[in-house]
Structures are given as structure tokens and as C-alpha cells.
Amino acid sequence: QEAERLWGMIRKLADSGRSVVLITHKMQDVMACADRVVVMRAGRLVSTLARQDCTEESLVELMMGERTGRSPIQTPPAETFRHKPASILIRNISARQATQAIHGIDLELRPGEILGLAGVSGNGQHLLADALVGLAQLGAGEVIINGKAIHSASRPPRSSPQISYIPEQPAANAVAADLSLTVNVALSHYQKLRFFPRWQPEIDITESILTDYEVRPPNPLLLAGQLSGGNLQKLVVGRELLEKKDLIVAAYPTMGLDAGAAHDIYQALFRRAAEGAAILWISEDLDDLMAYAHRIAVIQGGKIAGIFDPAESDRYDIGRAMTSHADNTVIPATPKEQQPLEEVVS
């Protein structure tokens, strides 16, 4: 609903005589708003097209520079885990940190299940993720994996080898910027860490991540702080999916990435689900959640506002749960009646 309001405002601005430049990698934005589309790749303009001459597929090919040849994204069928007992039990957890708080969160995940967590930014997603992986103290409740409580309000938080974490801001929360890519990969497996000068196994592992996830430049001795945000994101995803874990908490794992890189990360993430990992996938991209998640839990105001089956749910019902707006009237992308621009902007 909020995206469609934005599209309506952009169209009104253009129809009122303004020129609008919309910079985006989201195909829905392009298809809803654009009159003309300019495609950039590697710092150069590669094509200019009229909107009616574009398809999502043709734009992806122009962005990537070639036909990707990528196979369709596969998620484990629900039948493979539906009758299995839940392996991840999140029992009535509450926590508070700075300006964020979560209250009475109850969730269950089965091995191989992809549970999407949808919500408008700032509704407790970051704190919930930190609480699950042992970076935030629980005020109440517990997190149970395979019958054992790994986090509870009665003891200090700590990391668990059973959990992988792809955080919301990798540069701030996932790497040491002044250490090499190899050291950053190795430190997440410190129990197996080898010492100088015998680092060749760690270098080999890092090189395989750089190759598999197309991290640029592919130099394992480069400092993490020298990577761009997108390349750093790919490195962290590759590191966190390196080993099998019981629970993967993935917060916006494809944020800011192009369509090809996002496709590859989804494939790798969902492959771990097929191998038995439970995945809590935090995202604001409702289209992707509805396409790939087995269930969608909505967080609003630090509480679970509802759990939906994407196959049987309407996206506007989920959107209403995300925003809890009493009035969810949508401004259409191409409005027939022109409202005064001052009213739209206000």
C-alpha cells in the first residue's frame, strides 16, 4: 500500500509538469512509474528505452550484460517438512535495547522451513534478530533449538554454533573493516582457526566464496573496509552459508544487490533449507516473501500481528497488518482524477 502511494505521488509530480528522475533497481518501480528507462551497468549508460518497450526480463539482461542462464529459484516443498516436529521454538521472548522493544514473540520453525518476517522498518526486526543470535539480552522467554534452551532471560546472551546470522548492516555488524577478507571469513570459524604462517586453507576457502558469489575484486588479502557495500554483503552471505546450521537468521540478505546477485543468494539460502536448516528471513519486500516463503509472520510495534500462508493470503491483508492503518486507501499509480499537488505532497 505504501509503495503504491509513492508511485501515485511520483505520477502526480510528473503530470503536474515536474521532471522526475527515479533511481531504483526494483522492477516494480520502473513498470509502475517510468515513461522512459535508462539502464546503467558498470558505471556506463548501456541503453535508453521507452517504458512500453521494456519487460522485466529484458531489463535484467541489460543490467547483467548477458543472458544469465540461471535456473529458476527453488524452495523446498512444504510437504517435506510439514509433518516434522518444530526444531526451533521461540517462546514468549521480550527484549529492550535503546529505542527498540519486542514483546511476547512466539514462533516455531520446522527443519527446512522458510519463515518470512515482514514489517515496516523499525518495528523490532533488528532487535528480534539480535536476540535470537545472542547479541541482545532477553528480558523474558527463551529460544530452544532441538530441545535445548540456548538463550534465556536467566543468563547472559552468547553466540551459538547452531546459528548463522546475516545481519542488516554487514559493514557495521558482520566484519572487522581493517582485517583482510580471509581473516574475516576465518574468525567466524575460530574454533578451527589455524595460525600464521599456515593460512593456506583459510585463503582457499575465502577464494571459493569470492568466486562462487562473484565478489569484486576477488582478492582474499584485501581489507574488508575496501569492498563496496554490495560486495561486502555477498562475502558475508557466503561466509554464513559455508557450513550447515540448524537456524539461519537472514536480515535483508539481498538489500541493494542487482537481480543476478539476488538470484544467486536466494538459491544458496534456500539450498540450505533443502538440507534441513530452518530459515527466519527478514524482509520488507513483500513480493519476494510471497513468492518464496512458506509462511509469513508480520511484526508490528514489536509484536507478531499475524501469520499468513502466502498461497492463501491477499497481499493487502498482509500490508494492513504491517502498517495497522485504519485507512488503507491506495493512490493508484496512474490516477484518473488529479488531486492538487500541494495536497499530495502534504
Side-chain angles (χ1 to χ4, degrees), residues 184-258:
N184 273 284
V185 169
L187 285 175
S188 67
H189 308 89
Y190 62 89
Q191 298 94 336
K192 306 174 184 177
L193 194 61
R194 297 164 180 86
F195 295 95
F196 286 107
R198 304 175 62 84
W199 275 78
Q200 194 57 48
E202 284 76 16
I203 292 175
D204 292 345
I205 290 170
T206 303
E207 285 181 336
S208 70
I209 292 174
L210 302 182
T211 299
D212 292 346
Y213 289 85
E214 299 183 1
V215 178
R216 298 290 181 266
N219 179 358
L221 302 181
L222 198 71
L223 300 184
Q226 294 176 280
L227 288 185
S228 68
N231 282 294
L232 190 62
Q233 178 86 348
K234 291 187 283 186
L235 174 80
V236 170
V237 170
R239 182 189 71 191
E240 295 302 308
L241 298 184
L242 195 58
E243 297 181 342
K244 292 184 179 180
K245 300 293 181 74
D246 295 304
L247 173 64
I248 300 171
V249 179
Y252 315 100
T254 62
M255 182 179 289
L257 298 181
D258 62 48

Side-chain angles (χ1 to χ4, degrees), residues 73-95:
I73 295 172
Q74 300 289 331
T75 58
E79 290 72 23
T80 62
F81 63 81
R82 193 183 301 278
H83 301 295
K84 293 180 179 178
S87 58
I88 313 297
L89 306 178
I90 301 167
R91 292 295 191 220
N92 196 38
I93 68 170
S94 299

Side-chain angles (χ1 to χ4, degrees), residues 108-128:
E108 294 185 355
L109 292 89
R110 291 171 171 78
E113 183 179 15
I114 302 164
L115 175 63
L117 185 73
V120 177
S121 180
N123 275 275
Q125 298 97 314
H126 178 81
L127 179 55
L128 174 58

Side-chain angles (χ1 to χ4, degrees), residues 143-155:
V143 178
I144 301 169
I145 297 183
N146 295 327
K148 181 180 179 181
I150 61 167
H151 304 311
S152 70
S154 62
R155 59 177 183 239

